[in-house]
Amino acid sequence: MVFQEPYVSLNPRWRVGDIVGEPIKMLENMSAKERLLRIHEVLDLVGLPSHYANLYASQLSAGEQKRIGVARALSVDPEFIIFDEPTTALDIKVRANLINLILQLQADMGLTAVFITHDLNSVRALAHRVAVMHQGRIVEEGMTADIFESPVQEYTKTLLAAELVIE
C-alpha cells in the first residue's frame, strides 16, 4: 500500500532506511546486510540515491516522500500495490515524474496496481480499467478509453465535464 499523505504515513522519528526496511524485517528472512542491500536497491528503483537511507522523511520534498512510500511498498517484491491518491499535493512536474515512475515500474516488474484517486489526468495516464464510484457504489466501469470517450452514466459525464485536462 502506498498511502496518500506521506508526512502522516512515514514515521518522522525513523530514518528512510528504517521506514523502507520495516516490511522487509517483518516479512522476509534477511540478514541486516541483505536488508540494507535491498533498501538501496528499491531506493534506486524509485530514482533516489542510496544515501537517502540515512535521512529523515522530513528532510525530503513531497515528491521524494511519495517515492519513499513506493520504495517501502516495493521492498518485499509484491505482485500487487494499492496507490491511494498517488499524485495528491504534487506540482505538475513532480506529478508527471511520479506517473512516469509508476508506468515504468509496471512495465519492468509486471506490477499490478489499483489507483484510488480523484485526479482524472492520473487515471487517464495510469489505468487500464476504471470504476467510477458515486456515494460508495460503482456506477460505471470499463476500459479507461471507453469510459473517457463514451461515458454512459450521468454522474460519469458530469465528472468528465469538470475535468481540467493537463497535456
Side-chain angles (χ1 to χ4, degrees):
M1 176 85 185
V2 177
F3 298 97
Q4 177 176 353
E5 304 293 351
Y7 53 87
V8 174
S9 64
L10 304 178
N11 189 330
R13 295 184 185 134
W14 290 11
R15 295 186 187 275
V16 167
D18 296 324
I19 293 168
V20 174
E22 182 185 29
I24 301 168
K25 203 173 197 179
M26 292 174 52
L27 300 173
E28 303 291 339
N29 186 18
M30 289 185 179
S31 69
K33 184 177 181 179
E34 291 170 323
R35 189 168 49 253
L36 183 60
L37 288 172
R38 179 65 182 156
I39 291 165
H40 290 172
E41 180 183 332
V42 294
L43 288 176
D44 184 57
L45 277 174
V46 299
L48 296 174
S50 61
H51 77 269
Y52 273 43
N54 297 316
L55 301 176
Y56 291 96
S58 62
Q59 295 175 283
L60 307 178
S61 70
E64 290 169 331
Q65 289 177 2
K66 289 274 190 175
R67 287 172 183 265
I68 295 302
V70 175
R72 178 175 53 188
L74 291 173
S75 69
V76 290
D77 198 27
E79 295 178 13
F80 178 85
I81 294 181
I82 298 172
F83 289 86
D84 183 14
E85 296 287 358
T87 57
T88 295
L90 299 176
D91 67 38
I92 299 298
K93 183 178 178 183
V94 175
R95 180 182 301 182
N97 287 338
L98 186 63
I99 287 170
N100 289 336
L101 170 67
I102 294 168
L103 289 171
Q104 190 65 51
L105 292 171
Q106 285 180 306
D108 291 349
M109 302 173 72
L111 186 66
T112 300
V114 169
F115 303 97
I116 303 166
T117 187
H118 294 90
D119 179 0
L120 297 178
N121 289 295
S122 293
V123 171
R124 199 184 289 270
L126 292 168
H128 300 100
R129 294 189 56 81
V130 174
V132 178
M133 295 185 74
H134 180 61
Q135 296 181 340
R137 295 179 193 252
I138 295 175
V139 295
E140 188 164 0
E141 66 180 301
M143 298 302 292
T144 302
D146 295 340
I147 298 293
F148 277 81
E149 291 169 18
S150 303
V152 174
Q153 298 297 316
E154 249 349 276
Y155 181 74
T156 306
K157 291 176 185 177
T158 301
L159 280 178
L160 294 175
E163 177 187 20
L164 174 61
V165 178
I166 300 170
E167 308 218 9

